[in-house]
Amino acid sequence: MIVAGNWKMFDGPDPRALRAALGDLPHVVAPPYTRLRECVEAGLTTYAQNVHWENEGAFTGEISAPMLQSLGVTGAIVGHSERRLYFGETDLGVARRAHAALGAGLAVIACVGETWEQRESGDTETVLRVQVESVRDLCGTHDNLVIAYEPVWAIGTGKTATPDLAQDAHAFIKSLLDLPVLYGGSVKPDNAAELLAQPDVDGALVGGASLDIDSFVAICRAGS
Ligand code: 13P
């Protein structure tokens, strides 16, 4: 069971205070790049929010796996819907990021998920299939790879997927690629236990609630 906090473009909580509050609870934090070193030094399991497929080169605004590893970062999120939506990231680009990061020895959380319009028009499985298969075709199953199912309509909206809906989507994803699947989208302390109790929900990717130490610790505890 993995509970990961994606701080997005927020400064987030004090890493040392968070580390102290977490005690022995398993966790991952993905702070903005400027706080990676501080999180590593505080002893947190620290992932980046993205990673490029090349080790170096003329790729303004990007960061590579070896650069992250030089800071002590142990993993990366790829393919978050905000990257896909606002920054034009494609299925192939996401798969290349995942593949390179795994090859370099980073753990990877690869995100997939449908929009509300896609769900309403009955396209959820098609969308998930295309997204998951592009990761599968390049990476296969890998010990360091997990998928995060984040329905776009549930992100930052307070509209959490019902446990049954999450379970169905996770089972479908696993039928395509047999890997652990985290759920993301308005996970809060009061809904975490029920979501995490679903047989195919193997953890959570938490946005807003990971910015508050008490909330994040409560969700990590629900997952432990
Ligand atoms: P919220 O928990 O704020 O809905 O964000 C989910 C998310 O996007 C995590 O990556």
Side-chain angles (χ1 to χ4, degrees):
M1 190 70 77
I2 301 173
V3 175
N6 174 9
W7 296 4
K8 308 193 180 187
M9 201 172 74
F10 293 97
D11 233 13
D14 173 51
R16 286 182 196 284
L18 177 59
R19 185 73 197 84
L22 280 165
D24 291 335
L25 288 170
H27 65 273
V28 167
V29 294
Y33 296 121
T34 48
R35 299 211 89 183
L36 287 171
R37 184 187 291 277
E38 231 183 312
C39 287
V40 169
E41 286 176 356
L44 293 163
T45 305
T46 305
Y47 286 19
Q49 294 177 19
N50 207 350
V51 58
H52 197 260
W53 53 82
E54 296 290 347
N55 287 344
E56 62 179 7
F59 300 104
T60 302
E62 294 286 337
I63 193 151
S64 74
M67 290 168 178
L68 293 169
Q69 287 167 311
S70 74
L71 294 176
V73 170
T74 54
I77 297 169
V78 301
H80 193 280
S81 64
E82 288 149 15
R83 298 299 318 168
R84 296 173 186 265
L85 186 64
Y86 303 131
F87 303 100
E89 291 206 17
T90 62
D91 290 327
L92 178 60
V94 170
R96 291 180 74 190
R97 290 172 190 274
H99 183 252
L102 291 168
L106 288 175
V108 170
I109 300 173
C111 303
V112 300
E114 81 288 357
T115 64
W116 185 249
E117 292 70 31
Q118 290 164 337
R119 175 160 285 274
E120 284 289 273
S121 53
D123 292 331
T124 297
E125 292 201 346
T126 306
V127 170
L128 293 180
R129 179 184 293 280
V130 169
Q131 293 178 345
V132 171
E133 287 186 348
S134 74
V135 173
R136 184 190 69 187
D137 290 349
L138 226 51
C139 306
T141 55
H142 192 292
D143 286 348
N144 268 344
L145 175 62
V146 302
I147 303 293
Y149 170 60
E150 297 207 303
V152 178
W153 47 270
I155 295 177
T157 58
K159 271 202 243 168
T160 318
T162 62
D164 284 350
L165 186 151
Q167 167 58 29
D168 286 351
H170 284 221
F172 177 70
I173 290 167
K174 288 184 187 191
S175 75
L176 304 170
L177 183 58
D178 189 17
L179 287 175
V181 182
L182 318 184
Y183 170 78
S186 298
V187 178
K188 307 289 177 203
D190 61 0
N191 61 24
E194 201 185 1
L195 285 160
L196 293 169
Q198 300 304 306
D200 289 312
V201 176
D202 305 306
L205 183 52
V206 186
S210 73
L211 299 173
D212 178 81
I213 290 181
D214 291 343
S215 299
F216 187 58
V217 169
I219 297 168
C220 290
R221 192 166 287 126
S224 73

